[in-house]
Amino acid sequence: QVQLVESGGGLVQAGGPLRLSCAASGIIVRRYALGWFRQPPGKQRELVAGMTSGGGTMYADSVKGRFTISRDNARNTVDLQMDSLKPEDTAVYYCNADLAFPLLVAGRSRYWGQGTQVTVSS
């Protein structure tokens, strides 16, 4: 059984950092495309960052230069380092995984976590 469990969400002041982690079980993360999506209040889920199995990365324009996605093969996790947070980053953040990067980017990943709330106060 595959499980993705996010942690690290919480309340942070604007300009501050926060690090999210997603622990995977039932899959080996280095063999999968991995990503983070978010869903702001009242809005649709959107891609934040993605990583191919080969280690290539991509980011939404709104987070480029502020967020960094990384993979820890030893811990079998995918992390999202978020710096210079803004109130508009407030959302539920979801990690996801799929063997096909195009499906992940399209939001059609096979595996999803339950989400973790990030709230940025102004």
Side-chain angles (χ1 to χ4, degrees):
Q1 183 180 0
V2 176
Q3 280 193 312
L4 301 177
V5 180
E6 302 95 337
S7 61
L11 175 64
V12 62
Q13 285 192 329
L18 202 62
R19 187 176 183 89
L20 304 181
S21 187
C22 175
S25 59
I27 62 170
I28 299 173
V29 294
R30 60 181 172 84
R31 296 179 179 175
Y32 279 75
L34 306 165
W36 288 91
F37 276 67
R38 69 185 180 187
Q39 186 165 16
K43 297 184 178 180
Q44 291 188 333
R45 192 177 297 188
E46 61 185 15
L47 175 67
V48 174
M51 174 181 280
T52 68
S53 57
T57 59
M58 61 87 66
Y59 298 92
D61 288 343
S62 59
V63 306
K64 277 181 184 176
R66 300 188 299 121
F67 289 13
T68 303
I69 186 171
S70 61
R71 182 181 69 204
D72 189 322
N73 294 337
R75 293 168 54 225
N76 211 42
T77 62
V78 55
D79 299 332
L80 186 68
Q81 176 67 41
M82 304 185 292
D83 297 316
S84 303
L85 281 161
K86 304 175 181 180
E88 52 263 43
D89 294 319
T90 294
V92 178
Y93 284 72
Y94 301 88
C95 69
N96 59 329
D98 198 279
L99 289 171
F101 189 68
L103 288 179
L104 182 140
V105 171
R108 295 165 57 194
S109 295
R110 181 172 183 180
Y111 303 116
W112 290 85
Q114 291 300 305
T116 186
Q117 176 70 46
V118 172
T119 303
V120 184
S121 63
S122 56

